[in-house]
């Protein structure tokens, strides 16, 4: 199969397309034929070598959406051909910038029919992070205020939309007028300049 890999740390120019063996699935894994995978800020940091150690050559990519190609013998609830999405890959485990990725079943979920592969492949890491913050940790309730610092970022723009969907009044910060307009379009009731000396 084809996979994007880097053999040394560096800028985007270290990425190349290689022909590699298709990954074998362990008993608790699902082999996904990848249809879409997102680029997360952390992918660039791992590639640059500034975030944590990865064994080289590495296939980057933490999120994917696609179709189940094979299920491990201990996997229940998934069948060949199912539309799925998954997150939390890469960085020591096989990444998703490849035609196939073998992913532990606990990281895989069914992708609803009305969600495209492109959207499904963009949601997992940033979506789970925003969900853990608002749902599991903060217990955010309708009509409460929440503040999303960096509302224009990968996690931030997802958090703005999630907070809004949960019925909260979302206050956000962003660094430029254009970014503040974008986060208001995504549902923030107000967007502040994070560089303002009067922010607090
Ligand atoms: N991405 C993930 O899946 C993930 C998962 C878990 C944890 N995290 C953590 O979540 C944080 C954000 O990650 P990300 O991937 O969303 O990064 P990102 O896409 O690079 O976004 C970072 C955001 O930070 C904003 N920012 C920069 N300087 C700021 C300041 N002084 N005050 C307030 N905001 C500022 C930027 O705003 P402007 O664009 O407006 O300049 C940018 O939108 C990081 O700490 C990361 O480690 C990320």
């Amino acid at each position: 199969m084809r996979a994007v890999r880097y053999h040394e740390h560096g800028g985007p120019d270290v990425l190349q397309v290689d022909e590699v063996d298709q990954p074998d699935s362990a008993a608790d894994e699902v082999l996904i034929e990848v249809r879409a995978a997102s680029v997360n800020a952390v992918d660039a940091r791992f590639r640059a070598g500034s975030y944590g150690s990865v064994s080289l050559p590495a296939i980057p990519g933490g999120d994917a959406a696609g179709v189940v190609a094979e299920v491990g013998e201990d996997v229940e609830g998934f069948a060949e051909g199912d539309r799925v999405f998954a997150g939390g890959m890469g960085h020591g485990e096989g990444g998703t910038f490849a035609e196939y990725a073998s992913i532990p079943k606990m990281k895989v979920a069914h992708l609803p029919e009305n969600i495209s592969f492109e959207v499904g492949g963009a949601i997992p890491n940033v979506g789970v992070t925003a969900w853990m913050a608002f749902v599991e940790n903060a217990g955010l309730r309708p009509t409460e205020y929440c503040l999303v610092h960096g509302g224009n970022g990968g996690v931030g723009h997802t958090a703005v939309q999630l907070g809004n969907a949960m019925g909260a009044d979302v206050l956000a910060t962003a660094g430029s007028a254009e970014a503040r307009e974008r986060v208001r379009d995504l549902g923030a009731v107000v967007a502040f300049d994070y560089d303002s000396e009067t922010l607090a």
Side-chain angles (χ1 to χ4, degrees):
M1 67 171 188
R2 287 173 305 153
V4 174
R5 295 201 300 181
Y6 51 94
H7 296 247
E8 57 182 322
H9 293 294
D13 53 316
V14 299
L15 297 172
Q16 63 185 64
V17 176
D18 290 336
E19 197 61 44
V20 300
D21 291 338
Q22 193 172 302
D24 291 324
S25 291
D28 66 341
E29 289 184 328
V30 177
L31 183 70
I32 295 177
E33 184 197 329
V34 178
R35 298 284 175 85
S38 66
V39 179
N40 189 302
V42 80
D43 295 319
R45 293 182 199 129
F46 274 105
R47 188 203 63 228
S50 62
Y51 206 62
S53 63
V54 287
S55 55
L56 300 175
I59 302 175
D63 293 322
V67 174
V68 173
E70 219 175 271
V71 289
E73 59 195 35
D74 294 345
V75 175
E76 288 175 6
F78 294 100
E80 214 181 299
D82 285 355
R83 298 170 87 252
V84 292
F85 61 153
M89 298 302 296
H91 330 316
E93 298 181 83
T96 58
F97 294 179
E99 288 181 290
Y100 292 88
S102 205
I103 302 184
K105 65 178 178 191
M106 63 166 294
K107 297 183 173 186
V108 182
H110 285 103
L111 183 67
E113 284 297 331
N114 62 335
I115 306 291
S116 68
F117 289 120
E118 289 80 3
V119 171
I123 286 175
N125 277 310
V126 291
V128 168
T129 303
W131 183 276
M132 286 170 73
F134 283 171
V135 177
E136 294 183 9
N137 292 317
L140 186 65
R141 310 287 306 165
T143 76
E144 287 183 334
Y145 285 103
C146 65
L147 174 64
V148 180
H149 260 312
N152 187 45
V155 175
H157 87 292
T158 311
V160 167
Q161 294 172 84
L162 177 62
N164 190 40
M166 292 172 74
D169 287 325
V170 180
L171 318 176
T173 68
S176 67
E178 191 190 353
R180 289 190 285 280
E181 189 182 331
R182 192 159 39 235
V183 297
R184 281 193 298 269
D185 285 347
L186 290 176
V189 291
V190 57
F192 300 107
D193 177 357
Y194 58 64
D195 274 333
S196 161
E197 288 178 5
T198 58
L199 179 62

